[in-house]
Amino acid sequence: MKRITHFLAHQSCPVVDGIVFSDATIQLFEVSATWAPRYKFEIQKAAITSIAELEAKGELYWAGCGILDNYTANERALKVVCGEGSYGNDGFIAVINLATWHTMWIAYFTSSNPFCKVSLEQDQVVAMSTYDCIWKFDLNKPANVEILCL
């Protein structure tokens, strides 16, 4: 079973709509995107699963990830990276603990479009997609997510 712990070394992630945690659990989301006259995302928590469970079902696919932006908060020993997956309209955000260089969690969404800008504002990871949508994740509870499209 592959894990996300060393994401920066292998830069790949499970292709899911959800949050992948360092212990290999995954919070899945149901996501719908519409365009009229601008993008709008509706997102709801779905099942909790794991890398091993999806692997056992033959439903686990991995995408290569290209980093487009990063933000380092030295005082918090955190690095946040974002970018695009292998399929064009997917994007990811990863939070790395600089003390251990282990990935804490990765948000990966198949219809978000690439994330091109990322920052850490108080206890929120804030990322901008190439759809001009701002995605906000609670740093410690990333399944708490808000999306605002400009």
Side-chain angles (χ1 to χ4, degrees), residues 12-80:
S12 62
C13 180
V15 177
V16 295
D17 282 314
I19 312 293
V20 184
F21 295 93
S22 61
D23 67 357
T25 60
I26 303 170
Q27 171 66 65
L28 296 174
F29 286 87
E30 292 180 14
V31 180
S32 65
T34 56
W35 172 260
R38 62 178 188 237
Y39 281 100
K40 179 180 178 186
F41 286 90
E42 293 184 21
I43 186 167
Q44 293 181 0
K45 289 180 189 175
I48 294 178
T49 188
S50 69
I51 290 174
E53 188 175 326
L54 293 179
E55 204 170 56
K57 292 180 185 177
E59 297 176 0
L60 183 68
Y61 305 98
W62 289 78
C65 297
I67 295 172
L68 299 178
D69 193 34
N70 70 85
Y71 180 87
T72 302
N74 288 319
E75 70 284 355
R76 297 178 81 171
L78 293 174
K79 181 179 192 83
V80 184

Side-chain angles (χ1 to χ4, degrees), residues 100-126:
T100 62
W101 284 98
H102 287 178
T103 306
M104 297 166 54
W105 54 266
I106 298 175
Y108 190 98
F109 291 94
T110 60
S111 60
S112 62
N113 244 26
F115 293 102
C116 56
K117 185 85 176 134
V118 69
S119 63
L120 187 59
E121 299 173 10
Q122 282 114 21
D123 286 334
Q124 285 194 321
V125 174
V126 180

Side-chain angles (χ1 to χ4, degrees), residues 79-149:
K79 181 179 192 83
V80 184
V81 298
C82 70
E84 60 187 334
S86 303
Y87 301 100
N89 61 337
D90 48 349
F92 75 90
I93 301 153
V95 178
I96 295 100
N97 178 324
L98 291 176
T100 62
W101 284 98
H102 287 178
T103 306
M104 297 166 54
W105 54 266
I106 298 175
Y108 190 98
F109 291 94
T110 60
S111 60
S112 62
N113 244 26
F115 293 102
C116 56
K117 185 85 176 134
V118 69
S119 63
L120 187 59
E121 299 173 10
Q122 282 114 21
D123 286 334
Q124 285 194 321
V125 174
V126 180
M128 173 74 79
S129 77
T130 57
Y131 278 151
D132 290 330
C133 295
I134 299 169
W135 293 59
K136 294 182 180 183
F137 299 85
D138 184 302
L139 178 63
N140 299 309
K141 295 180 182 177
N144 295 339
V145 58
E146 298 174 41
I147 306 167
L148 172 66
C149 295

